[in-house]
Amino acid sequence: MDQQEIQTQQKREAEGRQESTNAARSFIPVTDIFEDNHALIVVMELPGIQRDNVDVRVENNVLTLEARLDYAKYHGLRPLYTEYNVGNYVRSFELSGEIDQDAIRAELTDGVMTLTLPKAESAKPRRIPIS
C-alpha cells in the first residue's frame, strides 16, 4: 500500500492585505482542507486565539477569517524558546457556487478552527434514475 508523505509548511506572514490601524503582524494560519460528499472541511491552527477575538464572514463570495491575539497575556514575558511567532491571523478563500454560503458553520476548540462549508444540493453526488 502506497503511503504519501505530507509536507508541513512554515508559518508565513500575510502579505498584500489592506492597510490596518493595528501595528501587529498577521500570519496565514496553517490550514488543511478535506472533502466528502456533503461538504468541504477547513481546519486551521490558531494558537492562543480566543473565540471572542475571531471574525469569520462571507462577502462577495469570499470567506474571510480574521483572528486577533490578546497580547495582554504575553505582557512582561520574555521568551526563552519559541516554535511559532505570536501574532494575529488572516486567511481568505474565494467560494464557488457549489458552496451553500448560508449554511457555513465555524467552531473553535483548543486553538483549532474548523469551518464546515456544506455543498449546495446541486453539487452533491446523486444517482440518476434509469427509465
Side-chain angles (χ1 to χ4, degrees):
M1 179 180 193
D2 286 337
Q3 288 188 337
Q4 181 179 5
E5 187 173 321
I6 298 174
Q7 300 295 320
T8 60
Q9 295 183 358
Q10 297 296 320
K11 187 179 281 191
R12 299 175 294 159
E13 193 166 348
E15 299 173 6
R17 221 179 119 200
Q18 295 177 350
E19 295 298 322
S20 172
T21 57
N22 186 350
R25 297 188 305 178
S26 291
F27 296 97
I28 299 170
V30 175
T31 304
D32 292 327
I33 301 175
F34 304 94
E35 180 178 18
D36 65 20
N37 290 339
H38 306 287
L40 294 175
I41 310 299
V42 180
V43 180
M44 291 184 246
E45 293 181 7
L46 302 174
I49 301 295
Q50 300 299 313
R51 181 175 288 118
D52 295 339
N53 294 335
V54 178
D55 180 33
V56 179
R57 65 184 177 282
V58 175
E59 187 175 343
N60 297 324
N61 295 325
V62 176
L63 173 69
T64 302
L65 172 129
E66 291 185 14
R68 296 161 306 286
L69 185 69
D70 179 8
Y71 288 98
K73 64 183 174 182
Y74 294 97
H75 184 71
L77 296 178
R78 199 178 87 212
L80 298 176
Y81 175 79
T82 61
E83 290 191 354
Y84 66 91
N85 293 315
V86 174
N88 300 322
Y89 296 91
V90 62
R91 187 83 189 247
S92 294
F93 301 93
E94 188 170 340
L95 300 177
S96 73
E98 295 182 357
I99 300 297
D100 182 354
Q101 294 182 14
D102 294 329
I104 295 174
R105 296 184 316 274
E107 180 182 326
L108 181 66
T109 304
D110 298 329
V112 177
M113 171 66 70
T114 302
L115 299 170
T116 304
L117 288 64
K119 293 180 181 179
E121 287 301 318
S122 61
K124 291 181 182 176
R126 61 193 178 281
R127 295 190 69 80
I128 306 299
I130 300 172
S131 54

